[in-house]
Structures are given as C-alpha cells and as structure tokens.
Amino acid sequence: SATATTGDSQKVEEAVNSFGAVGTGDPPKMKEPTLVRATSNSITVKWEAPPPPPQQQLHVTRFTLFHQSAIGEEPLTECFSSGGPDQTEFTLSGLERDTEHCFAVCAGNAISRGPLSEVATFRTKNWVE
C-alpha cells in the first residue's frame, strides 16, 4: 500500500506499482476524483473510468481510492477497492466537521495498478444537516 504523503506523488506511484508488472499491461493514469457531496461527517467522491485500452492491453478490472486527512502528517492510505470496473463512487464517513480530506485514485487490471491520479482536496461542511 502507499506510504507517501500527498506532496510526494512519485513515492506513492512507486509504492502502488511495486507489486505489478511494468509494460503495456499497466492501466493508464486517471483524472483526480471529483466531489459528489459533502456533509458534516462524510464526503462522497466519484471518478471517471479510463477509455477502453487498445486490443493488446488488459482492461481495467478495479479501482483503488486513497485518502489522507489534510490535518497533520498522516500518510495517504488505501480506503476503498472496487469489486469491479463499474464501481466509480465511494462515500467515506465518520469524518470530523469542517475538515479537509485529500483523495486520489488509480485503476488496476489483472497484473498491476496504474499510476496514482493527481490529488483532489475536499472539505466537510461546518454544520450538521
């Protein structure tokens, strides 16, 4: 799993890819997650699946979402792994009110994970709905 901080994306990518094969089978880099909804204690993000690969490459079979609280020096860690390529949304709950949270996503296939997306930062709401 990834152990680097948000500002150290190269180490994160190396950690994410350290178990997989290198070459034409690697999934493409994805766009950063986008915000669906934020409440006082949860953030829902979604991401776009990459376009289908050329015939000689493997199809994306899963997505892995990483999270980091923007407070302190906590590492970016895996918080969700999809059960298939159609799962492109996730809600992280149990968060504190009015706090920032960073998210990044990567695609995976049968042999490896692709590079981590850019990091997107979202804030929980300051009030209870």
Side-chain angles (χ1 to χ4, degrees), residues 7-8 21 26 34 43 47 62 82 95 97 99 111 114:
D8 202 350
D26 289 343
T34 58
I43 293 176
W47 51 91
R62 67 188 182 282
S82 71
L95 306 175
R97 186 168 44 168
T99 54
I111 61 167

Side-chain angles (χ1 to χ4, degrees), residues 57-101:
Q57 291 185 339
L58 296 170
H59 287 271
V60 169
T61 58
R62 67 188 182 282
F63 300 105
T64 304
L65 184 69
F66 294 85
H67 166 258
Q68 174 187 32
S69 172
I71 304 167
E73 298 298 317
E74 188 179 310
L76 191 66
T77 57
E78 184 176 323
C79 66
F80 172 73
S81 186
S82 71
D86 296 331
Q87 289 181 293
T88 57
E89 187 173 299
F90 178 73
T91 299
L92 185 62
S93 57
L95 306 175
E96 291 190 31
R97 186 168 44 168
D98 196 29
T99 54
E100 285 191 336
H101 298 269

Side-chain angles (χ1 to χ4, degrees), residues 19-35:
F19 72 93
V22 176
T24 59
D26 289 343
K29 183 172 181 174
M30 296 180 57
K31 294 180 182 177
E32 67 272 3
T34 58
L35 180 66

